[in-house]
Amino acid sequence: DAGITQSPRHKVTETGTPVTLRCHQTENHRYMYWYRQDPGHGLRLIHYSYGVKDTDKGEVSDGYSVSRSKTEDFLLTLESATSSQTSVYFCAISSTGGTYEQYFGPGTRLTVT
Amino acid sequence: QQQVKQSPQSLIVQKGGISIINCAYENTAFDYFPWYQQFPGKGPALLIAIRPDVSEKKEGRFTISFNKSAKQFSLHIMDSQPGDSATYFCAASFNSGGYQKVTFGTGTKLQVIP
């Protein structure tokens, strides 16, 4: 998975609790992304980062925040988890602005009960 | 809305047969069309991609056919093998202020039976 790790790989949490997912890369790529994958929806972009401390919203950003304090780490926080945020979350990286290849991590399966 | 419509949702093909997955898009600003392959429990991985200035691209058993006027593109897997059983996503992207905005199709689950 192109030097990308995600943690945790699986998590079960209760409605209303905050959750933070971590993406770590060893490729020194500039761009990092968080997607969620749901049946019938494919992959949808939550947030992306184009550099340290530089982030922007994707198409499904409500209820999520991100931070990037180092090139290698991109954190996704669910401020107050809801059942609709039960999903598989993928981190991706690219060396350019999303053109050509995005490399995906192994995913985090999150269940909100 | 910048949708990419993918069909079929699922596909069963006999070993040695041809698998065909179709996608259609609306936004003519899209300028890059990749296909991703995803195995269970793994992240998607780029399989093959095409730009709209060519009508076909072939890599081994995988071919993308692109019809710019119809705004459609398709993935053909020749001589399909059980190891090709996976979920396939088409995607389309364009440059938006230095960032390449990617829209994914909803995925096709391919099963190749021996």
Side-chain angles (χ1 to χ4, degrees):
Chain A
D1 291 316
I4 309 168
T5 57
Q6 292 184 231
S7 59
R9 295 292 315 277
H10 302 270
K11 186 170 181 66
V12 179
T13 192
E14 293 185 349
T15 298
T17 59
V19 176
T20 295
L21 309 183
R22 180 181 183 240
C23 177
H24 178 79
Q25 60 144 330
T26 58
E27 306 296 323
N28 200 35
H29 282 0
R30 176 182 177 187
Y31 293 86
M32 298 186 75
Y33 316 82
W34 277 108
Y35 290 91
R36 61 178 289 174
Q37 184 175 46
D38 305 287
H41 290 278
L43 288 143
R44 293 179 291 174
L45 182 67
I46 304 171
H47 282 279
Y48 67 97
S49 169
Y50 47 96
V52 174
K53 298 193 190 315
D54 293 323
T55 65
D56 206 348
K57 297 178 180 179
E59 61 180 299
V60 291
S61 59
D62 287 349
Y64 301 95
S65 62
V66 291
S67 66
R68 191 169 178 197
S69 59
K70 298 184 289 185
T71 299
E72 58 267 34
D73 290 325
F74 193 31
L75 304 181
L76 176 71
T77 298
L78 288 65
E79 291 138 12
S80 177
T82 68
S83 58
S84 65
Q85 294 177 311
T86 292
S87 186
V88 181
Y89 292 86
F90 286 99
C91 173
I93 64 174
S94 69
S95 59
T96 59
T99 56
Y100 214 53
E101 290 200 55
Q102 289 191 9
Y103 301 93
F104 285 82
T108 295
R109 182 172 294 276
L110 176 68
T111 302
V112 183
T113 61
Chain B
Q1 193 172 0
Q2 296 158 3
Q3 286 185 326
V4 176
K5 296 182 180 179
Q6 183 172 347
S7 62
Q9 266 191 305
S10 62
L11 183 61
I12 299 175
V13 174
Q14 289 241 307
K15 179 182 175 181
I18 302 173
S19 303
I20 302 174
I21 304 170
N22 300 300
C23 285
Y25 63 97
E26 298 168 358
N27 189 345
T28 55
F30 288 134
D31 62 1
Y32 178 69
F33 300 87
W35 285 87
Y36 284 83
Q37 180 187 55
Q38 184 180 27
F39 294 105
K42 302 288 187 181
L46 181 68
L47 183 65
I48 185 173
I50 196 168
R51 294 199 180 272
D53 51 347
V54 297
S55 60
E56 185 176 281
K57 183 173 181 180
K58 184 176 180 179
E59 290 184 0
R61 297 184 293 107
F62 300 90
T63 299
I64 299 177
S65 297
F66 188 83
N67 186 329
K68 188 174 182 178
S69 60
K71 292 187 283 186
Q72 296 175 347
F73 58 110
S74 60
L75 177 69
H76 292 65
I77 306 174
M78 311 300 287
D79 187 26
S80 299
Q81 299 297 312
D84 297 330
S85 297
T87 299
Y88 293 81
F89 293 93
C90 63
S93 68
F94 70 95
N95 190 287
S96 176
Y99 162 70
Q100 196 80 354
K101 181 176 171 58
V102 183
T103 301
F104 287 86
T106 52
T108 296
K109 187 172 183 179
L110 171 65
Q111 183 182 0
V112 181
I113 54 177

